[in-house]
Amino acid sequence: KAGVTQTPRYLIKTRGQQVTLSCSPISGHRSVSWYQQTPGQGLQFLFEYFSETQRNKGNFPGRFSGRQFSNSRSEMNVSTLELGDSALYLCASSLGRRSSYEQYFGPGTRLTVT
Amino acid sequence: GQQVMQIPQYQHVQEGEDFTTYCNSSTTLSNIQWYKQRPGGHPVFLIQLVKSGEVKKQKRLTFQFGEAKKNSSLHITATQTTDVGTYFCAGRAAALIFGKGTTLSVSS
C-alpha cells in the first residue's frame, strides 16, 4: 500500500506570495491532519479534516487554510507569506477520527520564504 | 488549551548508556502515542498506550503511561547509534497534540 504523498517536496516563495500544498493520504484513510514543524517548536497542529469537513483547527492565523476533497486528498493554503512561515509542513493520515488510530506521516513539504 | 510538554529537549549519551524522555499533559488523556523522527525524516509511529499504569516493551524500549493518564515516559536501555532521532509523545483531546520532542544523539 502506498504511503502518504506530499507535493511539492520543496518550495521557495517570496514574502507576500501565496502557496498551496497537497497531500494524498493512504488509500482508505479518511482523516488528514496538517502540522507545521520548525526547529525548537516541534510539531504544531494546524488543522484536521475528516469527510471533507474541518474538525479541528490549531492556533494559527486565518492566512492558513485548508480543505479536503471527496477522495480524501487534502490541500493547505498559506496566503500573504511571511518569513516566519518557513518550515516543514507535514501531512498525516489516519483511518478515522478515533483517538486510537495512529497517524501516518508524509515526507513533508519544505517551504522557504525569502 | 491542551498542552503536552516533554523533557529534556536534548540528550546526548555514549553508546551503551540508558536514555529516558518524559511527557506531561495538562489534561487527562484517553491514550498517548509515541513517534520517532530520524534526522531528515518524518515521524513514524512507535506505540500507543491506553490503560492507566500501562507498561509496554519493544526490545530495548520501555514505554509507561502514568496512573493518572497525564504523563508518560520512554526509556531506552543500552542505546545504540541507530536510536538517534527525535522522540515525540502525542496526546489527543480534541486534536492530536504533540510535545516538542526530545532529540537524542549517541556517540560511539
Side-chain angles (χ1 to χ4, degrees), chain A residues 49-106:
Chain A
Y49 287 89
F50 180 78
S51 293
E52 302 179 64
T53 301
Q54 186 181 93
R55 302 293 179 164
N56 287 295
K57 189 176 192 302
N59 189 26
F60 277 81
R63 300 184 296 107
F64 292 80
S65 63
R67 59 178 175 168
Q68 186 181 34
F69 302 96
S70 58
N71 61 359
S72 295
R73 191 177 69 85
S74 178
E75 288 181 347
M76 69 163 280
N77 184 77
V78 188
S79 62
T80 320
L81 284 166
E82 300 177 0
L83 293 178
D85 296 333
S86 294
L88 179 66
Y89 289 88
L90 290 160
C91 161
S93 75
S94 63
L95 274 172
R97 296 198 66 243
R98 284 175 55 187
S99 62
S100 56
Y101 289 134
E102 66 190 78
Q103 303 240 325
Y104 292 82
F105 283 84

Side-chain angles (χ1 to χ4, degrees), chain B residues 12-16 79-82 84 105-108:
Chain B
H12 177 79
V13 299
Q14 294 287 323
E15 191 172 22
T79 55
Q80 300 175 358
T81 54
T82 53
V84 163
S105 59
V106 180
S107 55
S108 55

